[in-house]
Amino acid sequence: IPKSVDAGTITGKDGKKFREHFTQKGVIVAFAEEGTKPPGAEEAEAEAKRKQEEELAILEVGMKVTAKFGSEWKDAELLELGDAIVKVKWDDDENEEQVIRGNVKRKVDPPEEVEHLLLFGPLRGRLEVE
C-alpha cells in the first residue's frame, strides 16, 4: 500500500478486507504506481523472454510445430531435423516440404484466459472497495 494512503480504509483490521476479497471472490489485490515498474522488473522480463525463446528453439522429430509457408505460419509435424533445413508435413493438406530451420517454431498452446477486474475512478474511491 502506498505510504500516502491510509491503510485502514482499505485493508480493515489486520488486512481483513483483502482476505475477504480473496477468499470470497478469488480477487488478488495489488497496488502499483502508474507508469512505473518495480525494481528488477525489466531484468525479470528479459530473462523470461530469453527462457521462452530457448524453449521454442528446441525441436524434436515428431513434435507439432508452426512453420512459415510463404508469408503465413501454418501448423505442421516435424519429420526430419537437420542443421539448416528441416522436413515438415503440413497439417492442412498432408504434403511434405523442406523448410529453413529458422522458420520453424515449437507449437505453443494459447495461454489460459484470466478474468480481470478493473477499477476506474478517483484514487480514494478505488481504494475503498468493499
Side-chain angles (χ1 to χ4, degrees), residues 20-65:
E20 284 176 2
H21 284 296
F22 179 72
T23 57
Q24 294 173 2
K25 300 174 186 160
V27 174
I28 298 173
V29 181
F31 291 92
E33 292 181 30
E34 186 176 357
T36 62
K37 292 183 178 183
E42 290 181 10
E43 292 84 5
E45 288 172 351
E47 177 68 14
K49 185 176 181 180
R50 185 190 63 74
K51 282 183 179 179
Q52 182 182 24
E53 288 173 353
E54 251 178 38
E55 276 184 20
L56 292 175
I58 299 170
L59 299 174
E60 298 172 0
V61 173
M63 73 177 1
K64 292 292 184 179
V65 295

Side-chain angles (χ1 to χ4, degrees), residues 60-63 77-81 87-89 96-97:
E60 298 172 0
V61 173
M63 73 177 1
E77 180 183 347
L78 189 59
L79 300 177
E80 295 176 14
L81 188 57
K87 188 174 187 179
V88 298
K89 180 169 73 170
E96 297 178 4
E97 187 172 344

Side-chain angles (χ1 to χ4, degrees), residues 1-125:
I1 301 172
K3 291 179 181 179
S4 61
V5 176
D6 175 23
T9 62
I10 51 175
T11 62
K13 186 175 182 178
D14 298 323
K16 181 181 176 189
K17 289 183 182 180
F18 280 168
R19 286 194 310 277
E20 284 176 2
H21 284 296
F22 179 72
T23 57
Q24 294 173 2
K25 300 174 186 160
V27 174
I28 298 173
V29 181
F31 291 92
E33 292 181 30
E34 186 176 357
T36 62
K37 292 183 178 183
E42 290 181 10
E43 292 84 5
E45 288 172 351
E47 177 68 14
K49 185 176 181 180
R50 185 190 63 74
K51 282 183 179 179
Q52 182 182 24
E53 288 173 353
E54 251 178 38
E55 276 184 20
L56 292 175
I58 299 170
L59 299 174
E60 298 172 0
V61 173
M63 73 177 1
K64 292 292 184 179
V65 295
T66 55
K68 199 164 187 183
F69 181 79
S71 62
E72 61 184 275
W73 291 87
K74 296 174 111 182
D75 293 338
E77 180 183 347
L78 189 59
L79 300 177
E80 295 176 14
L81 188 57
D83 291 336
I85 303 289
V86 298
K87 188 174 187 179
V88 298
K89 180 169 73 170
W90 304 111
D91 286 354
D92 59 354
D93 61 8
E94 301 288 319
N95 286 332
E96 297 178 4
E97 187 172 344
Q98 291 184 336
V99 180
I100 298 171
R101 186 176 177 142
N103 289 339
V104 178
K105 301 178 187 175
R106 287 180 76 153
K107 187 170 180 179
V108 178
D109 294 327
E112 205 176 293
E113 267 194 49
V114 178
E115 291 186 30
H116 297 277
L117 172 65
L118 302 176
L119 302 174
F120 295 93
L123 179 61
R124 179 126 179 113

